[in-house]
Amino acid sequence: MSAPTLPVVVNKPGAPVTEHAREYLGRLRGGDMGALPAVAGLLVLCAVFAIVRPAFLSAGNFANLFTQGAQVTLIAMGLIFVLLLGEIDLSAGYTSGVCAAALAVLATKEGLPWYVAVAAALVAGVVIGLTLGTLVAKVGIPSFVVTLAAFLGFQGLVLLLISGGSNVPINDHVLLAVANNNLPPLVGWAAYAVTVLAYAAVQAVVLSNRTRRGLQAEPIALVAMRVGALAVVLGAAVYALNLERSRNPAIVSLRGVPLVVPLIGLLLIAGTFVLRRTRYGRHLYAVGGNREAARRAGISVDRIRISAFMISSTFAAIGGVVAASRANSVDPNTGGSNVLLYAVGAAVIGGTSLFGGKGRMLDAVLGGAVVAVIDNGMGLMGYSAGVKYVVTGAVLLVAAGVDAVSRRRAAATGRT
């Protein structure tokens, strides 16, 4: 039965970093690639686009990458929960469209406050997930069939909600701020400091607890390297995002971290905690690794499966809110087109297995970044949508191939 990737440990507390490096290389040879392929691919893509199109590294384009990939990343984060079970949710894209349409109708046509409209969109996502999960877990219809039917039906539901092919504008300034406004530069640096310090504190507490209990522990140098890497990467990102991006700063200033970044960050932290530190997360991995064994261990398999679809649809609803905010409106194509394909691709490219039992919330973020970089970089190079689809499909195929090869190696070395 597969399990979530845990911190690297060796046979004795306080072992030197070199021993951890050897252990990590052994895991790579054994098929546990982790996030390495996604990170390597992201670095290569960024380097290529930066060389061919220097504008790719501009502050404005860097900020645009976050808002451009936010909807896909959020939907992919929800899909992680379903994919961990070896299931699929083909309706996630149009689920976000339905929830966005409900948001627009209530906020614009009915004139309700923004928080009522957002709450209604999230409730719609929960209800959709509950319905899909019940049909899969209780009725026994394969998730592929259930969500394919929902994919078709939700297209019609979006049209009904927004009265055919019309376009419903978003006028509420709070809703528009979600994907279009930025944190003040000082607030961005404060959030950066809190994030790094909180991460360092968590690492220190884990290290202290394991040492006090006489358990295997990582060397302080390795923990310090991890915290330092996070500080450098986040610091560089905040610095770049705080640069002036407006062509006419005297008229309007564009500086600061986009609001969608802390939104995704908070959801990433919450989702990671649920998967790695709660009984629910352990049960989710157990059901995805071996459903029958989980059932015999006393886990409520049906409840876990239903809840996974509910979480997936809720994340899709959040993605719909962000998409409506970014477009300043909702139309029949919201949540359609390539949104679903990109979201599933993001999860798989990031390292989540389609066979279940293996995946992390971070996979969705890394995969979403890869998809956004491909779409953005090839757009700057002037390639058509057809070429973008071909390249993204090729990257997805490579990621799925890496997953298949990794599983075979893991089975051969007894690491499953």
Side-chain angles (χ1 to χ4, degrees):
M1 180 175 63
S2 299
T5 302
L6 298 175
V8 178
V9 294
V10 293
N11 293 328
K12 54 183 179 180
V17 176
T18 53
E19 291 193 30
H20 287 265
R22 285 195 292 269
E23 173 70 15
Y24 178 68
L25 292 176
R27 291 170 55 200
L28 290 180
R29 288 192 293 269
D32 186 1
M33 303 292 288
L36 182 60
V39 173
L42 186 61
L43 293 176
V44 170
L45 287 169
C46 289
V48 171
F49 289 136
I51 294 172
V52 178
R53 282 289 184 270
F56 178 81
L57 293 180
S58 67
N61 190 64
F62 183 57
N64 184 55
L65 281 172
F66 290 98
T67 55
Q68 186 176 347
Q71 181 189 17
V72 167
T73 300
L74 288 166
I75 295 175
M77 291 171 76
L79 285 172
I80 295 294
F81 288 81
V82 174
L83 293 175
L84 281 173
L85 298 178
E87 305 284 0
I88 189 68
D89 185 359
L90 299 177
S91 67
Y94 273 111
T95 294
S96 72
V98 169
C99 296
L103 172 86
V105 169
L106 293 176
T108 301
K109 292 188 175 181
E110 302 299 328
L112 296 178
W114 67 267
Y115 49 85
V116 175
V118 171
L122 296 180
V123 169
V126 172
V127 172
I128 289 173
L130 176 62
T131 303
L132 297 177
T134 300
L135 290 173
V136 171
K138 296 296 186 181
V139 181
I141 306 175
S143 59
F144 179 89
V145 177
V146 171
T147 58
L148 178 60
F151 171 86
L152 298 172
F154 290 164
Q155 294 183 60
L157 185 55
V158 171
L159 291 173
L160 293 174
L161 287 172
I162 63 176
S163 302
S166 63
N167 183 298
V168 181
I170 300 294
N171 301 317
D172 189 280
H173 69 280
V174 176
L175 295 177
L176 293 175
V178 173
N180 297 292
N181 283 19
N182 308 300
L183 294 175
L186 289 178
V187 176
W189 282 117
Y192 159 76
V194 170
T195 300
V196 174
L197 291 175
Y199 181 74
V202 170
Q203 294 295 310
V205 169
V206 171
L207 181 62
S208 175
N209 288 341
R210 297 185 67 85
T211 302
R212 186 176 64 253
R213 296 173 183 174
L215 301 175
Q216 298 169 340
E218 296 176 323
I220 297 178
L222 184 60
V223 175
M225 289 170 57
R226 188 182 296 126
V227 174
L230 178 69
V232 170
V233 172
L234 288 186
V238 173
Y239 172 79
L241 292 171
N242 280 340
L243 295 175
E244 182 59 67
R245 304 191 291 270
S246 175
R247 295 183 178 180
N248 298 296
I251 299 176
V252 58
S253 178
L254 290 177
R255 299 177 61 196
V257 178
L259 287 178
V260 293
V261 174
L263 172 63
I264 292 176
L266 290 173
L267 291 174
L268 171 63
I269 293 171
T272 301
F273 176 80
V274 169
L275 290 179
R276 292 176 63 94
R277 300 294 180 183
T278 66
R279 183 173 63 176
Y280 172 79
R282 292 191 293 271
H283 287 180
L284 194 70
Y285 281 107
V287 173
N290 190 317
R291 188 181 304 171
E292 183 57 31
R295 191 189 310 277
R296 294 183 179 183
I299 298 174
S300 178
V301 173
D302 288 349
R303 185 178 302 173
I304 294 294
R305 297 174 74 193
I306 292 172
S307 65
F309 279 93
M310 293 173 66
I311 293 172
S312 176
S313 294
T314 302
F315 270 90
I318 298 173
V321 173
V322 171
S325 174
R326 182 170 184 260
N328 298 343
S329 63
V330 175
D331 59 49
N333 292 321
T334 302
S337 185
N338 54 12
V339 172
L340 171 68
L341 301 180
Y342 276 2
V344 175
V348 176
I349 290 170
T352 295
S353 175
L354 290 170
F355 300 96
K358 175 187 173 185
R360 304 170 302 167
M361 293 294 285
L362 182 61
D363 296 341
V365 177
L366 292 174
V370 171
V371 171
V373 165
I374 292 174
D375 191 50
N376 180 279
M378 300 196 74
L380 290 176
M381 294 173 64
Y383 286 106
S384 65
V387 177
K388 295 179 185 178
Y389 291 153
V390 170
V391 173
T392 307
V395 172
L396 173 59
L397 185 61
V398 170
V402 169
D403 175 47
V405 172
S406 298
R407 289 179 64 85
R408 284 203 299 270
R409 285 187 178 180
T413 57
R415 291 179 178 266
T416 54

